[in-house]
Amino acid sequence: MANVTPEEMAGKLMADSFSRNGPVAQALTAPLVETPMVVTLDELRPYELDPRITRNSLYAEIKASIRERGLDAPPSITRRPGAEHYIIRNGGNTRLAILRELWSETKDERFFRIPCLFRPWPERGEIIALTGHLAENELHGGLTFVERALGVEKARELYEQDSGKPLSQSELARCLSADGYPIQQSHISRMQDTVRYLLPVIPNVLYNGLGRHQVERLAVLRKAAELTWQKYAGLKVLSIEFETLFHDVLAPFDAQPDGFSVGRVRDELIGQMAELLDADYNVLELDIDSTEHRQRAVISTPTATVEPSLTVTPAKSERAPTVKSVPPSIPADNAEALSPAAASPALDVALPPSPVQPQMPNATQVSGTEEAHLQEHIVTPAVSTERLQAIQQLVAEQTGEAVPRFADAVLQAIPVQAGGLFPITDVWYIESTLDSPDRLRIHIVQFAREIAEEAELSDCIEAVNTGIGFTCIPPQPAMLISAFGRTVLALLHTLSVHDATQPSPFDSCDLQLADNLGTLLLGTGSRLPEALPRLSDNGLVKLFRLVRLARRLVDLEANPDKSDH
């Protein structure tokens, strides 16, 4: 190594430092794993979607504790991808606000530099952050009911953005539970009613701490009053709609939130309804009271086991029933028999419900050709009671989901459709023009050919004037048939020779129906090796229709006078 003179050494030491040519990072990247770190108030922001809007009732106590002891546990923080600031991850906005106040008041560094636990931003980060704040606030100090309602409503929006489709209340409850915020569907129903009907009118009352039970009483009152309004309004021309009336009645109570009373709202609402409907106050009150009791019976938890029999006595003229129930007996000619609004005043129930009788839902509301069409679809009548149907209707009103009605589904045809030479819109019903052996065979053989076409074996289906209308002929000897084709042909062959007495040309062929029928109809499970494709949905619908027509054909030929389907 060459000798360096003192002058040269001094020159090197005094030289300019190395220059940096690359980009300069403006901020450190976020850690990839959970990491304890110290952040300043300037680097930390509150979570913007925190459901808490009002001040924590324990704010003063928490502030005094932090002033004396500091933070007992480091808050959990995170950072959105690409963001410059950290945010509170799971609850802690109150503590952050207190730290800012204490720093402003004392300039003490322990309130400015905060030890935190950093957690990386997860997938579905916004949903996880929101549900985390909901759960944390639920544990510490509690949110008002309207704050929880707004938080759940925001969560619903995020879930729907994530899935791209609307969620029912039951689906929303399942999603929230899966993300760590369990909540009952009935509570979600009340929360949505609160945001939709109450928050625009009485925000001060709600933020003042109106609880779930009072909100529930208001929701039940609103629904019962609306049903009663519809019942008595009839064809009257009224100057106001019920929703507007309900808002007008509620609005004045928002001026004095501390003195809010559901009983006063109820009295004012019934009074104005009586005036507008030109009805007796006591009659309206009795109707609303009856409907309220039925709705509460639906949303409340049962406390006693129902016995298998019931004795019902007519309603008393005086208003003194102690146990109320949906009327178990309604005249058959009443077109509104299943409507809670049209139910008669509450009945005194001495014992549990009447014996179950098979009855068609809404069968009394259809007549003539519709009634005949309805009866054609009844294989065996479903066991039901008017009481059960009324309860199902009330449950549907609480959940916001429609009650499936058999009569409506029949009159709209069974909801399945498949194209082809004879398009299918109803798997079960057989029109009178089709209800003869010759016509049935024409349709059956066509469906068999279209099913076989999926395996490119339509040439193996031959029409005949006996049996169910077709027979299967063996493919050409040189023709290679896949496992799928052999199974399809075996299935059709089995249907076509169900009553054959002569030996079949397929008896010695390896058609593999027993081994592959399940796979043909259901497909292979995700854990099983794929042996053959399953029959398409279109083919499956045609197979159902073929079987239905073939059964009818067999019945007609066994008893030509048989007319029922």
Side-chain angles (χ1 to χ4, degrees):
M1 182 176 178
N3 292 329
V4 179
T5 65
E7 292 79 8
E8 291 174 335
M9 180 66 72
K12 291 181 180 293
L13 293 174
M14 299 297 291
D16 294 337
S17 60
F18 292 105
S19 61
R20 186 182 183 93
N21 297 324
V24 179
Q26 299 298 321
L28 294 176
T29 58
L32 300 178
V33 295
E34 288 189 10
T35 306
M37 59 192 305
V38 176
V39 298
T40 66
L41 291 179
D42 293 337
E43 298 173 305
L44 187 58
R45 295 287 185 272
Y47 177 60
E48 306 90 330
L49 301 181
D50 183 21
R52 183 182 294 281
I53 298 175
T54 57
R55 186 163 178 158
N56 193 323
S57 59
L58 302 176
Y59 190 93
E61 291 85 344
I62 297 173
K63 181 176 180 179
S65 175
I66 294 177
R67 183 193 297 272
E68 297 298 326
R69 300 159 50 90
L71 289 174
D72 288 333
S76 177
I77 63 173
T78 188
R79 189 163 74 182
R80 294 185 178 91
E84 296 183 359
H85 296 93
Y86 299 98
I87 59 172
I88 298 293
R89 185 178 185 272
N90 283 344
N93 279 3
T94 295
R95 285 175 288 168
L96 179 58
I98 289 172
L99 288 170
R100 292 188 184 281
E101 280 190 13
L102 291 173
W103 164 247
S104 177
E105 294 169 3
T106 66
K107 299 301 179 183
D108 189 333
E109 282 290 319
R110 66 193 178 104
F111 302 133
F112 183 72
R113 299 185 181 278
I114 313 162
C116 299
L117 177 62
F118 176 86
R119 292 183 175 178
W121 185 259
E123 293 185 18
R124 302 171 57 248
E126 294 295 351
I127 293 175
I128 298 301
L130 178 56
T131 53
H133 277 267
L134 281 167
E136 187 71 17
N137 278 306
E138 197 75 18
L139 294 173
H140 299 91
L143 299 170
T144 63
F145 186 80
V146 68
E147 288 172 332
R148 299 209 313 273
L150 289 171
V152 168
E153 183 67 13
K154 183 62 181 179
R156 181 188 61 78
E157 293 178 11
L158 295 176
Y159 283 123
E160 291 182 350
Q161 290 174 9
D162 191 47
S163 64
K165 62 180 183 180
L167 295 182
S168 68
Q169 293 174 1
S170 299
E171 291 170 331
L172 178 57
R174 287 194 293 270
C175 290
L176 289 168
S177 297
D179 286 328
Y181 185 61
I183 186 171
Q184 297 179 14
Q185 179 272 325
S186 59
H187 289 184
I188 292 178
S189 176
R190 289 290 167 256
M191 289 174 174
Q192 291 185 350
D193 285 347
T194 300
V195 173
R196 179 179 177 183
Y197 298 113
L198 304 183
L199 184 59
V201 191
I202 51 170
N204 291 328
V205 171
L206 291 169
Y207 286 121
N208 195 52
L210 194 69
R212 180 177 66 85
H213 294 294
Q214 290 176 295
V215 167
E216 184 174 291
R217 287 182 61 194
L218 272 177
V220 170
L221 170 64
R222 187 199 66 79
K223 187 63 178 179
E226 183 178 18
L227 292 172
T228 302
W229 174 274
Q230 293 170 357
K231 175 183 175 181
Y232 285 90
L235 299 177
K236 295 180 180 178
V237 178
L238 301 172
S239 60
I240 190 172
E241 295 182 354
F242 176 80
E243 187 170 343
T244 304
L245 170 64
F246 186 72
H247 284 195
D248 290 348
V249 169
L250 267 185
F253 290 91
D254 198 47
Q256 297 180 334
D258 292 333
F260 182 81
S261 167
V262 178
R264 291 172 55 203
V265 173
R266 189 175 191 274
D267 180 67
E268 182 66 23
L269 178 62
I270 296 175
Q272 293 200 26
M273 286 176 61
E275 182 177 346
L276 291 168
L277 295 171
D278 192 22
D280 183 82
Y281 178 100
N282 293 325
V283 173
L284 293 179
E285 184 181 25
L286 184 62
D287 253 333
I288 291 174
D289 184 67
S290 172
T291 307
E292 283 180 323
H293 277 76
R294 291 198 300 273
Q295 291 188 71
R296 291 195 185 100
V298 171
I299 64 177
S300 62
T301 303
T303 57
T305 304
V306 178
E307 299 295 332
S309 61
L310 167 73
T311 301
V312 179
T313 59
K316 298 179 182 179
S317 58
E318 65 270 21
R319 191 177 161 204
T322 55
V323 181
K324 300 183 181 180
S325 169
V326 177
S329 177
I330 303 175
D333 59 349
N334 185 352
E336 299 177 6
L338 298 183
S339 171
S344 59
L347 303 180
D348 289 351
V349 180
L351 296 172
S354 58
V356 173
Q357 298 177 356
Q359 185 174 359
M360 264 302 308
N362 295 325
T364 58
Q365 297 187 31
V366 293
S367 60
T369 57
E370 291 182 349
E371 174 65 22
H373 188 65
L374 186 66
Q375 295 301 321
E376 292 293 347
H377 284 78
I378 301 175
V379 179
T380 57
V383 176
S384 182
T385 62
E386 291 178 350
R387 175 183 173 82
L388 176 60
Q389 295 160 24
I391 291 175
Q392 290 173 337
Q393 180 67 34
L394 287 174
V395 171
E397 291 173 2
Q398 298 301 320
T399 61
E401 299 175 358
V403 178
R405 290 160 35 118
F406 178 74
D408 290 346
V410 168
L411 297 180
Q412 296 170 4
I414 293 179
V416 65
Q417 190 176 84
L421 183 61
F422 301 121
I424 300 170
T425 56
D426 191 325
V427 171
W428 188 258
Y429 182 65
I430 299 174
E431 299 85 353
S432 58
T433 56
L434 177 59
D435 198 26
S436 66
D438 291 342
R439 293 290 299 166
L440 289 170
R441 285 192 177 95
I442 292 172
H443 280 243
I444 290 170
V445 68
Q446 181 61 33
F447 290 138
R449 283 174 175 160
E450 292 178 7
I451 294 169
E453 180 61 32
E454 293 196 13
E456 300 181 355
L457 293 173
S458 59
D459 291 341
C460 294
I461 306 300
E462 184 176 276
V464 294
N465 293 324
T466 59
I468 65 170
F470 72 92
T471 185
C472 297
I473 59 177
Q476 297 297 325
M479 186 176 181
L480 296 176
I481 305 179
S482 65
F484 174 70
R486 289 196 300 272
T487 308
V488 169
L489 200 57
L491 174 61
L492 294 173
H493 168 65
T494 302
L495 293 173
S496 69
V497 297
H498 72 283
D499 61 347
T501 57
Q502 300 297 325
S504 167
F506 284 100
D507 287 345
S508 60
C509 297
D510 179 20
L511 294 180
Q512 300 178 337
L513 178 62
D515 294 337
N516 294 327
L517 180 60
T519 305
L520 177 70
L521 298 180
L522 306 179
T524 55
S526 59
R527 298 183 180 180
L528 299 176
E530 184 175 359
L532 74 162
R534 70 179 180 184
L535 197 64
S536 71
D537 292 344
N538 192 47
L540 187 63
V541 171
K542 291 174 181 177
L543 178 63
F544 290 156
R545 183 63 171 169
L546 185 156
V547 171
R548 166 62 174 146
L549 297 183
R551 288 164 62 95
R552 176 60 178 162
L553 175 58
V554 170
D555 290 343
L556 282 177
E557 297 213 316
N559 183 5
D561 297 328
K562 189 179 176 75
S563 60
D564 63 300
H565 290 195

